[in-house]
Structure formats: structure tokens, C-alpha cells
Amino acid sequence: MSKAAPSVPDTPQPEDASIEDRLYTVKYKDSGESHLGIEVPGICAETCTTYECTNVCPADVWRAEEGGVPTIAYENCLECGSCRFACPHGNVEWEYPTTGNGVSYKHG
Ligand code: SF4
Ligand code: SF4
């Protein structure tokens, strides 16, 4: 009698996986304080018209809010750096999370 094969968890195939599936494979360790911020909130509220930070982020960290100053769900940050360079006003404060915190990838 042959033994049953061990079960292997499903890994989403890149060509089939939704953004949500892919984000599910990422693990975050919350440092408890944001490594992202806004230099001058008034620039977001009164000057910015494009909200590139909310458009460019692949993890939906930056969210547009009434009043014009985005909220930042820093715990989901993938540390790609895009928001830092996309802001046309240089208004994004950006640091890596403190050592041992932040994102880690389960597959490579
Ligand atoms: S793109 Fe820059 S200035 Fe505009 S809302 Fe985002 S952080 Fe503020
Ligand atoms: S570094 Fe990348 S993932 Fe993190 S908030 Fe900026 S755009 Fe989003």
C-alpha cells in the first residue's frame, strides 16, 4: 500500500494571481511607528492637485481623504520607494523601518 503524498499549500501562479493574492504572500512586522510621513500637510491640502502618492502605491498605503491630506497605512508598505519619487512637491518623508521591522517576502 503506498503512502499518501504530503499536502503542499497552494502558491498563486504569477500570471493568475490578483494583487490581493500577491500581497497575501508578503509578511510585515509592525514597528509601532510610521516610517512614512508628510513634510508639510498644507501642501497636500492646498497645493497638490494630482495626489500621485495615492496613485502610485501598489499596496494602497496612501489614501485620499476629504480635506486633502492623505492617510498613511504604513504597516502595509512594501518599501518600494515609489511614493517618495512620485510626489511632485517632494513632500514625502521616507525612511526604512527600524531594524528587524517592515516587510519580508515568503517566496524569494
Ligand atoms: S503627492 Fe505629495 S503633495 Fe500630493 S498629496 Fe501626496 S504627499 Fe501630498
Ligand atoms: S514605499 Fe511603495 S509600498 Fe511603501 S508607501 Fe511608498 S509607494 Fe507604497
Side-chain angles (χ1 to χ4, degrees):
M1 200 158 101
S2 63
K3 284 165 79 176
S7 68
V8 177
D10 288 341
T11 302
Q13 294 304 306
E15 62 274 14
D16 299 332
S18 67
I19 294 287
E20 289 73 21
D21 287 339
R22 293 177 197 210
L23 289 175
Y24 181 71
T25 67
V26 175
K27 206 168 73 180
Y28 309 91
K29 185 167 179 206
D30 184 1
S31 67
E33 63 183 42
S34 182
H35 61 290
L36 306 168
I38 294 167
E39 299 263 357
V40 182
I43 292 177
C44 304
E46 291 151 29
T47 308
C48 190
T49 56
T50 56
Y51 297 94
E52 291 303 336
C53 56
T54 65
N55 296 327
V56 79
C57 180
D60 199 23
V61 169
W62 295 79
R63 296 177 194 165
E65 299 290 345
E66 276 187 39
V69 182
T71 53
I72 306 170
Y74 72 91
E75 307 91 334
N76 296 337
C77 177
L78 301 171
E79 298 165 28
C80 70
S82 301
C83 54
R84 180 184 190 183
F85 296 101
C87 174
H89 303 285
N91 202 24
V92 170
E93 289 175 347
W94 201 102
E95 293 177 348
Y96 283 108
T98 50
T99 306
N101 295 303
V103 71
S104 58
Y105 296 92
K106 292 177 190 166
H107 303 293

